[in-house]
Structures are given as C-alpha cells and as structure tokens.
Amino acid sequence: MTLTRSAVAEALGSGALNQLLHTARDNGTGLEWPTKPSESEADTSLYSGTPGVILALLEGHRHFGLDKYADAAVRAARTVAAGLDTEEYSLYTGIAGSAVVLRAVADLLDDKDAAIAAARVPDLLRGAFDGSRWGEYYDLLLGNAGIALAALDGDDVELAVAAVEPYLADAEETPFGVCWALRPGMEPRFHHYSHGTLGIAAALAAVGRAADRADLIELALAGAADVVARNEGGEDGFLAPHSDPQLRPDLVTRHNYGWCHGPAGDAHAFRFLASATGDPAWTVYGDRCWRTLTHSGLPERLYPGFWDNNGRCCGTAGVLSLALDRAVENNDGRDFAEVLVADLCSRAIDDGDGVRWSNVEHRETPSDLEPHHGWAMGNAGIARELLRYSRLATGRDQSYAVAMPDQPVARPRM
C-alpha cells in the first residue's frame, strides 16, 4: 500500500522523535542532549539543545497522545530547571528561552516543578539587566528583542518594555529610517529577523501594542522602513541583502532565504507590524516575501551552497513553518508546503539508528555533516513541522502544541 505524503511525514516525525528518545542522556537530574551525538557536553540552549528538544517532545505528545513523550519532556525539564543559574539570558541561548519551555511543560503537562522554575526567571532577568542590555548582543536571537518577546509570552509586559526601551536611545538614523548594531564595535548592520533590524522591529511592535506605547510602534516602523528601502526583490517580491556593508562576502551570500536572514523570517516581522498597526501595507510585504520564496528555486540545490540546510533556522523546515501559517491564514501555502515536505522526506536518513537529517557544507569533504538534535538545525525543529503539516493535511488541529514567542499565531484572515 502506498502511503500518503501526510502519513509519510507523520511516520518520519515519529521516527525523529524516537531517535531523540534513543539518544537522550540521563545526567542524574533529568534528561539532556548535546548539539550532536558525537559531543560529550550537553547543550543548554533552546537553539540547539535540550529546551528545543522539549518543544518537539511536547509536539509529539499533542500529536500522538503517547506518555513516553510527556515523560521525557518532564524529565528534560528537570535539567533545564537546574540550569537557570547561568550568565546566559537570551531567548535562544539563555534562560529567557528556558522559561518559555518550562511554562509550556507546566501548562500542558500540569507539572508544578516546571511552573516553580519558570517563575524564577523574571527576577533573574531583572537582576542581570544593566538598564541597557544583558550582554554584548542586541538582537532577537541573542539579545533584548528576544528577551522582550519571551517576557510577553509570560505576560510580563513591564519586563518586555524595559527590554525594548533602550532601542529608543540607541537607534542609528539612516537615509531610510533607523537601524541598530548587533554588538558594540561591529560595523556591518544586519537587516533581517535573527540578528537584524526586522527582528528588533518585530519586538518593538509587539511590545508597543501590548503596552499601548505609540513611541515603540513608531520606532518599529522606522526600523522596518530602513529594511524595506533596501529591497532588491522587485516590485512584487522582497529580498533585502544580508548586511551592509556585506559581512564576509567571500563566505556569506548577499541574499538568503531562510528564517534567520531571509524572507521566511522577514514575513513574521511584517505580521507583527500588521497586527500592531492595522495597516494592510505590512500584509502586502508579507505576501511579497512569500512570492520571493516560492519563485526562488528552493528547495532545489541549484548550485553548491544554495539550499544545503534542512533545518528550522536556515533551511527547509523554517520555510515550511511559514508555508503552514500561510495555509491557515491565506489558504495559499499548502501547495508549496507539499513541495517542501517532499524534499524533507526524500532527504531523511532512516535506518537502524533512527530518523535524522544531515545538512551539507559543500566546502568540506565529506560534505554531509553530522546530524543535529535540536530546534535550529536538527530533528527537533524538523519533526515539529512535519507533525504540524500532517495534521493540517488531514484536517486536524493546525496549531502548534507550543507557539514560539517570535512567530505570530496563525489565524484565518477575515
């Protein structure tokens, strides 16, 4: 019998989750994972370590209703809770992200220990804040903007406002609007979602709306205006350069397409702006991001270095996430989602060691890299999207078990 694509995606998602269960390490407190199996040290970050794996396990529990995923999520949450006394504070590498995950375990699995641990984080963040930032980085992935969105996820508007107010004083005027340095002394200005202006604009817009702060929304619009003015994707598309001046042009391409530095992430910023302002122009920019993605040639590997990543941050799973949001909001993302899922299915490694994916570095030999466990580049992020796709394709629940703070919840357009 030939399985439908949704059934294949579901089976691969299950296999990827079971591979994570198989590779879990018991540290005496709970479960943990390194970035990749060959590494001895556990990774504590949402980006590539244990917290991101917990998100996938919660997705598996919602999807399949199997206790083994819930039990593993609770045990892994013990490890996350024990690691809150750290000097890492951001959404994707620090305790702000850990709090998002712990709250999810508490809410979905009624785990009181996770709730107690999550409740510690706001005070820890306030105690580490110097009035301007938590470290040298100033972006969504590593800095203030991501911490602000994590604070909103926990309904702490006061902390979210404190996190974004420094952007008012530190904004750099440009001929088109404003921008911010990723860290002090770094010359290139990044434009996109993970490390650049649009990620900061998204946080400003979200916090401005929650706190009824017109000045924050105005600054978000100025930041977005700077990036919009740099569009090189034509009248119907949207494709801003990676950075100006270009960071490492010998290594980094001028245009990228993923969640981190391309229209797959930019579209989420425009969704935040549309929600905060009610201005349909930002929805149009999201549509233009979508057109650029669907006409870019991905997920085909058109030349060495183009589209060598399957993951949630820089690769196919991140674009699939937007496609599934589009399917819910606009009813126009399903066809491209089918293409992306077919590609992920074709590239899955399914053997006695479980289901996983290998990204490619064409400049190295061998070029197939060791598979990763986590949200950004590996099993956790990919499995999460495959299971959501399977539900959407078969008319089941179209949402995630846990919504990420930096991805607006998809709702049909009225």
Side-chain angles (χ1 to χ4, degrees):
M1 182 177 67
T2 301
L3 295 176
T4 64
R5 182 162 293 139
S6 63
V8 173
E10 184 177 62
L12 290 174
S14 173
L17 291 175
N18 290 335
Q19 194 267 353
L20 290 171
L21 293 181
H22 178 71
T23 56
R25 301 176 184 175
D26 190 330
N27 59 23
T29 298
L31 300 181
E32 65 183 17
W33 288 261
T35 301
K36 46 194 175 184
S38 66
E39 296 180 342
S40 59
E41 186 174 351
D43 190 317
T44 62
S45 72
L46 172 56
Y47 189 81
S48 53
T50 300
V53 173
I54 293 174
L55 291 180
L57 293 171
L58 292 172
E59 197 72 42
H61 183 249
R62 165 75 68 85
H63 189 94
F64 296 108
L66 297 176
D67 289 342
K68 64 180 180 179
Y69 298 131
D71 293 343
V74 169
R75 292 176 66 195
R78 301 286 183 268
T79 295
V80 174
L84 294 179
D85 294 312
T86 175
E87 294 184 358
E88 296 290 339
Y89 303 105
S90 72
L91 173 59
Y92 278 104
T93 64
I95 62 172
S98 296
V100 171
V101 173
L102 289 167
R103 283 194 295 269
V105 172
D107 292 344
L108 296 179
L109 303 179
D110 194 26
D111 187 81
K112 293 181 173 56
D113 289 338
I116 291 169
R120 291 184 57 210
V121 173
D123 286 342
L124 292 172
L125 288 171
R126 285 182 167 88
F129 186 46
D130 69 2
S132 179
R133 60 183 73 202
W134 280 265
E136 63 176 339
Y137 290 98
Y138 212 36
D139 57 339
L140 184 149
L141 198 148
L142 299 169
N144 289 44
I147 292 172
L149 292 173
L152 288 185
D153 180 76
D155 296 323
D156 193 335
V157 177
E158 180 184 36
L159 178 59
V161 169
V164 298
E165 280 187 325
Y167 291 124
L168 291 163
D170 293 339
E172 301 174 3
E173 291 191 12
T174 75
F176 317 114
V178 300
C179 67
W180 293 268
L182 173 60
R183 65 174 187 260
M186 188 172 189
E187 181 182 6
R189 297 297 180 261
F190 294 85
H191 306 311
H192 297 281
Y193 205 50
S194 63
H195 295 308
T197 299
L198 282 180
I200 293 171
L204 285 164
V207 177
R209 183 186 186 197
D212 194 22
R213 287 281 298 270
D215 57 337
L216 299 179
I217 294 175
E218 182 179 354
L219 190 63
L221 295 174
D226 178 76
V227 184
V228 164
R230 301 174 191 273
N231 176 41
E232 297 174 359
E235 294 183 0
D236 296 325
F238 190 81
L239 194 62
H242 175 276
S243 48
D244 287 306
Q246 178 68 35
L247 176 73
R248 293 292 305 276
D250 58 319
L251 183 65
V252 179
T253 58
R254 181 164 178 79
H255 298 116
N256 298 262
Y257 295 88
W259 171 88
C260 46
H261 292 287
D266 298 345
H268 295 314
F270 294 139
R271 294 167 71 199
F272 274 116
L273 287 161
S275 178
T277 65
D279 186 346
W282 298 114
T283 300
V284 171
Y285 275 108
D287 294 342
R288 290 170 64 169
C289 289
W290 181 243
R291 177 175 175 79
T292 291
L293 286 167
T294 56
H295 289 75
S296 66
L298 67 86
E300 294 295 324
R301 295 181 175 176
L302 300 180
Y303 53 81
F306 182 86
W307 219 248
D308 286 342
N309 193 297
N310 303 295
R312 182 64 174 73
C313 178
C314 315
T316 304
V319 182
L320 175 58
S321 180
L322 177 64
L324 298 177
D325 281 353
R326 297 280 306 193
V328 173
E329 292 184 342
N330 295 12
N331 200 30
D332 66 354
R334 186 167 298 191
D335 288 347
F336 196 48
E338 295 276 352
V339 173
L340 299 169
V341 169
D343 188 74
L344 287 171
C345 291
S346 71
R347 300 189 188 283
I349 302 167
D350 188 359
D351 57 22
D353 293 326
V355 176
R356 60 209 185 279
W357 286 261
S358 174
N359 298 320
V360 171
E361 176 46 75
H362 71 283
R363 290 167 295 223
E364 295 185 8
T365 303
S367 59
D368 287 345
L369 303 176
E370 182 180 359
H372 286 212
H373 289 132
W375 177 91
M377 304 291 185
N379 269 27
I382 296 170
R384 183 170 177 263
E385 300 307 330
L386 288 177
L387 294 181
R388 184 189 180 199
Y389 161 79
S390 177
R391 293 196 299 275
L392 188 146
T394 53
R396 289 176 283 170
D397 181 16
Q398 300 173 345
S399 63
Y400 293 108
V402 183
M404 291 291 285
D406 56 11
Q407 183 174 350
V409 174
R411 296 183 176 88
R413 287 187 189 174
M414 301 302 293

